[in-house]
Amino acid sequence: GLMAAPFAFGREITRGNVTLILYEDIGRFNVRISGGAGVKPYTFFVKEDPRTTQLQVLVDNNIYTLGEPGRFKLTVAETQTGARYSWSSPLIKVTEEFIFLTQADAPLTEGIKIVLRVDNVSETDHTIAVRYLFDTWLGEKSNTHFITSGSGMLARQAAFREKLPDVYWISPNMESERGDGLLVLTDAPAVSRPDAVVFANWK
């Protein structure tokens, strides 16, 4: 028999060991690291269904998942530094910029910087907030789901609000002996501090 993999392919943009994968039809993305010697290529997020990693915008009391069918129109563009998703509706415009990290950004680190901008394009004021859900899988086999800079290993649900105790969190690639994995900064000069960081295992 035949098996269909509807999300197997996307537009790929590569710089060095980092490949940005854009699933333009559903407005999602993934990042693949080629790894180099002794490290198998791996992706940051679940690759079987990229819809599980999602960007949500709260406008007043309504939550919109960008990429779901609805009121937002998506345009996609490659840029000199990476790529850009632009989401437009009568109320707001959301720009999601993917920028490949350079040595000036983070020495010895390869990855992607995401810059989000939300503009109110309506005539009235709105309360606007952003939530990003990252569906990671790198720590599944070892049950080492997350590591934070201040709280150590997290294998259970945890939430940090108001005063964040950590500068970063990691979803470690336990198959790598070099300490590879997904590292997300939550407190750094070029980072907007989130109001909350929540860790959960969907199972």
Side-chain angles (χ1 to χ4, degrees):
L2 295 175
M3 290 186 64
F7 303 114
F9 303 103
R11 185 194 302 202
E12 297 192 359
I13 308 168
T14 300
R15 302 280 192 281
N17 291 322
V18 182
T19 299
L20 172 66
I21 307 167
L22 299 175
Y23 302 99
E24 301 171 67
D25 292 345
I26 56 171
R28 303 297 206 278
F29 80 102
N30 207 337
V31 177
R32 185 175 64 244
I33 305 295
S34 62
V39 181
K40 296 178 183 177
Y42 64 94
T43 57
F44 282 171
F45 310 125
V46 175
K47 57 188 176 184
E48 287 76 15
D49 187 353
R51 291 174 300 183
T52 58
T53 289
Q54 53 191 235
L55 173 62
Q56 296 180 323
V57 179
L58 171 75
V59 182
D60 299 325
N61 293 317
N62 298 307
I63 297 175
Y64 302 101
T65 300
L66 301 184
E68 299 292 311
R71 60 191 305 162
F72 286 89
K73 178 185 176 184
L74 172 63
T75 57
V76 185
E78 287 193 36
T79 66
Q80 288 187 332
T81 54
R84 181 188 307 114
Y85 281 161
S86 296
W87 315 82
S88 298
S89 83
L91 291 180
I92 61 173
K93 178 180 179 182
V94 181
T95 305
E96 184 177 17
E97 192 98 28
F98 302 99
I99 302 169
F100 285 90
L101 290 177
T102 66
Q103 286 294 306
D105 294 317
L108 305 179
T109 301
E110 296 180 300
I112 300 283
K113 175 167 61 175
I114 301 174
V115 179
L116 292 173
R117 177 184 170 126
V118 182
D119 291 303
N120 179 3
V121 297
S122 72
E123 298 293 324
T124 57
D125 292 340
H126 297 284
T127 298
I128 296 174
V130 173
R131 175 169 59 196
Y132 226 132
L133 172 63
F134 297 112
D135 188 4
T136 67
W137 67 279
L138 292 170
E140 294 295 320
K141 292 182 180 178
S142 65
N143 206 34
T144 305
H145 295 290
F146 302 107
I147 299 171
T148 70
S149 55
S151 304
M153 189 177 79
L154 292 172
R156 298 179 177 274
Q157 294 190 158
F160 300 104
R161 293 186 174 86
E162 297 174 1
K163 190 174 181 181
L164 295 175
D166 302 301
V167 177
Y168 60 79
W169 60 265
I170 299 172
S171 177
N173 180 8
M174 301 307 290
E175 295 182 2
S176 167
E177 297 178 357
R178 305 186 314 171
D180 286 17
L182 166 62
L183 182 150
V184 176
L185 293 173
T186 54
D187 188 4
V191 173
S192 301
R193 283 173 57 90
D195 294 325
V197 177
V198 178
F199 300 93
N201 188 339
W202 69 274
K203 290 181 180 179

